[in-house]
Amino acid sequence: FLLLVLRMSKYKLFLLRHGEGAWNKENRFCSWVDQKLSEDGVKEAQDCGRLLKEQGYKFDLVFTSILSRSIQTAWLVLEAMGQEWVPVVKSWRLNERHYGSLIGLNRAEMALQHGEEKVKLWRRSYDITPPPIDESHPYFLEIYNDRRYTTCDVPKENLPRAESLKEVLDRLLPYWDSTVVPEIRKGRTVLISAHGNSCRALLKHLEG
């Protein structure tokens, strides 16, 4: 896992990337496919919570995505801290980057199919979007028939089919500005339990 503590003058924000999932271990693009934490991922989250407790941190509010690995990480951290009562607010806008048609693929196999440079470009560039997912994709229905996506603040048909890192930031920022920032400005200690790319996009925004 990755935990970052950002001290912005008098404000404090904790950014946490979820623990390991089964597909992380297999080096596959998980993205919007809902995966629980692996045994190692559970232990990582519990260790993180114990570390935070030892340091004496207390959270007032937690934000997560609507993917189970992000939520489960937050729950395990709070449990290890003895702070299970702290409110947890969930939004699709903190979801992992949508990797489109690359979802489910092993990165080594992708490099063989598309070439290492192309894969690196899709993964590491800021504004290049991978090929979109369509209805022929084996995980399309699993994602878009999931009831959680009927709870979003946009119609299901307007949800992403693939995203660059820039597009992750574009969908994350309205939520950050309208919902998260006001809580931080109240002096509350906030934890965001999210994903590698949603944390990366937010860091890019905060660091300029």
Side-chain angles (χ1 to χ4, degrees):
F1 68 92
L2 173 68
L3 176 69
L4 292 169
V5 187
L6 304 178
R7 289 180 173 84
M8 301 165 282
S9 62
K10 60 180 176 175
Y11 304 121
K12 202 182 287 175
L13 169 68
F14 292 72
L15 276 185
L16 176 63
R17 187 249 186 205
H18 64 79
E20 181 194 71
W23 280 16
N24 296 134
K25 193 172 275 189
E26 296 168 17
N27 216 15
R28 294 164 75 193
F29 282 101
C30 191
S31 187
W32 282 31
V33 173
D34 197 47
Q35 294 262 307
K36 295 287 202 305
L37 298 180
S38 66
E39 283 184 24
D40 286 345
V42 168
K43 186 177 181 304
E44 286 169 355
Q46 290 168 333
D47 288 347
C48 178
R50 281 191 281 270
L51 183 65
L52 288 165
K53 184 179 183 179
E54 284 168 17
Q55 298 295 318
Y57 289 116
K58 294 177 175 65
F59 293 123
D60 299 307
L61 190 56
V62 179
F63 293 96
T64 75
S65 75
I66 57 173
L67 293 164
S68 295
R69 56 195 187 273
S70 156
I71 300 163
Q72 194 182 2
T73 297
W75 286 349
L76 289 165
V77 165
L78 290 175
E79 182 183 36
M81 295 176 78
Q83 296 179 36
E84 295 96 325
W85 58 271
V86 172
V88 178
V89 183
K90 307 172 188 77
S91 172
W92 76 275
R93 291 184 180 274
L94 290 171
N95 271 20
E96 177 57 294
R97 177 183 172 188
H98 197 309
Y99 270 105
S101 66
L102 309 184
I103 288 173
L105 294 179
N106 175 285
R107 285 166 192 159
E109 291 167 353
M110 268 183 50
L112 284 174
Q113 283 178 35
H114 300 283
E116 191 67 51
E117 287 309 306
K118 191 77 172 170
V119 174
K120 200 178 284 183
L121 201 60
W122 284 330
R123 289 189 65 207
R124 293 295 164 207
S125 64
Y126 179 58
D127 56 1
I128 295 176
T129 307
I133 196 169
D134 62 30
E135 291 182 18
S136 68
H137 192 283
Y139 290 100
F140 183 89
L141 292 179
E142 183 177 325
I143 294 169
Y144 293 100
N145 282 352
D146 193 314
R147 193 166 66 93
R148 78 191 72 202
Y149 293 111
T150 64
T151 68
C152 299
D153 58 359
V154 296
K156 198 193 290 188
E157 57 271 18
N158 291 349
L159 289 170
R161 295 289 192 264
E163 293 175 305
S164 63
L165 189 66
K166 179 183 183 300
E167 287 163 324
V168 175
L169 185 57
D170 288 346
R171 54 105 156 148
L172 193 157
L173 268 185
Y175 185 73
W176 166 256
D177 289 334
S178 69
T179 307
V180 183
V181 168
E183 297 298 336
I184 295 170
R185 284 198 172 134
K186 289 175 191 170
R188 292 183 168 171
T189 303
V190 167
L191 168 67
I192 296 178
S193 172
H195 304 266
N197 282 291
S198 44
C199 288
R200 193 171 146 224
L202 188 52
L203 268 176
K204 186 171 179 62
H205 171 67
L206 293 173
E207 293 176 346

